[in-house]
Amino acid sequence: MSDRLLLRPWRVDDADFLLELESGREIIGPAGLRTTMTTREDALASIARRALDDPIHGVWAITTAVDGKLVGNLLFKPIHLSAGEPSDGPEDVEIGWHLHTDAQGRGYATEAARVVIDDAFSRGLTKVIAVTDPANHASQAVCRRLGMRHLGRTMRYYDCPNELFEKRAPV
């Protein structure tokens, strides 16, 4: 993937790391359902749901290239619309990341996301979005470093207010 990072599928032996990464954090899943990961069983169930058989979309573990140390999570998949939102065209594709606190501030999220976005654009995808919690200024900074344009606050996704960012493929 890059000189510093690799993306790989989540494995059963990653469950303890995933539980630590997501523990106590509200996770928004299919159809906007909110859950909190609290047990190893929750982590294992989440790993099972992360397997997407798709050449572009996925939910991957981010590891360091040198020693394979897990540092976080990167997702790139169709995003769920809020209840009642009209589907007025092709599904929007979301990019998102969550890094372990020990790995934050090193440019890993920007680096991993940039590679995935560039790959998707090379395969014909024309637009990528990111939604962030309005208070998550760190993720908003990553969006800006990726060259994403801030479109303002929206309720279009996940049935809650988010800051919406967009990046379009070069013409």
Side-chain angles (χ1 to χ4, degrees):
M1 184 187 111
S2 75
D3 290 341
R4 295 190 315 152
L5 301 174
L6 297 174
L7 293 179
R8 65 162 173 78
W10 284 92
R11 303 187 297 234
V12 170
D13 61 338
D14 299 330
D16 292 330
F17 175 84
L18 183 60
L19 178 59
E20 183 180 340
L21 182 69
E22 304 288 352
S23 182
R25 179 174 176 252
E26 187 175 66
I27 301 164
I28 304 173
L33 299 174
R34 289 167 170 72
T35 60
T36 303
M37 189 178 297
T38 58
T39 67
R40 190 169 197 280
E41 289 71 30
D42 293 340
L44 290 168
S46 181
I47 288 169
R49 288 189 304 271
R50 291 168 189 245
L52 299 176
D53 187 22
D54 188 287
I56 297 174
H57 304 131
V59 183
W60 300 282
I62 306 171
T63 69
T64 57
V66 173
D67 59 7
K69 179 182 177 189
L70 285 161
V71 296
N73 183 58
L74 185 98
L75 70 84
F76 193 76
K77 63 180 183 57
I79 189 170
H80 297 283
L81 294 172
S82 293
E85 283 288 333
S87 177
D88 52 0
E91 283 184 297
D92 286 331
V93 176
E94 169 190 25
I95 191 156
W97 46 83
H98 184 203
L99 294 181
H100 192 278
T101 54
D102 293 344
Q104 293 174 359
R106 298 180 185 176
Y108 291 159
T110 304
E111 186 174 327
R114 182 171 284 125
V115 169
V116 169
I117 290 171
D118 289 348
D119 178 66
F121 286 167
S122 76
R123 295 171 185 258
L125 191 69
T126 59
K127 178 178 85 169
V128 173
I129 67 166
V131 293
T132 71
D133 182 285
N136 190 340
H137 301 292
S139 279
Q140 293 162 23
V142 171
C143 291
R144 288 182 178 95
R145 282 192 294 276
L146 290 167
M148 300 184 95
R149 187 169 54 108
H150 184 229
L151 300 178
R153 191 158 296 184
T154 185
M155 288 285 296
R156 184 166 168 79
Y157 309 99
Y158 295 122
D159 294 307
C160 61
N162 288 290
E163 296 298 327
L164 177 60
F165 292 82
E166 173 187 86
K167 183 170 180 123
R168 294 198 174 259
V171 182

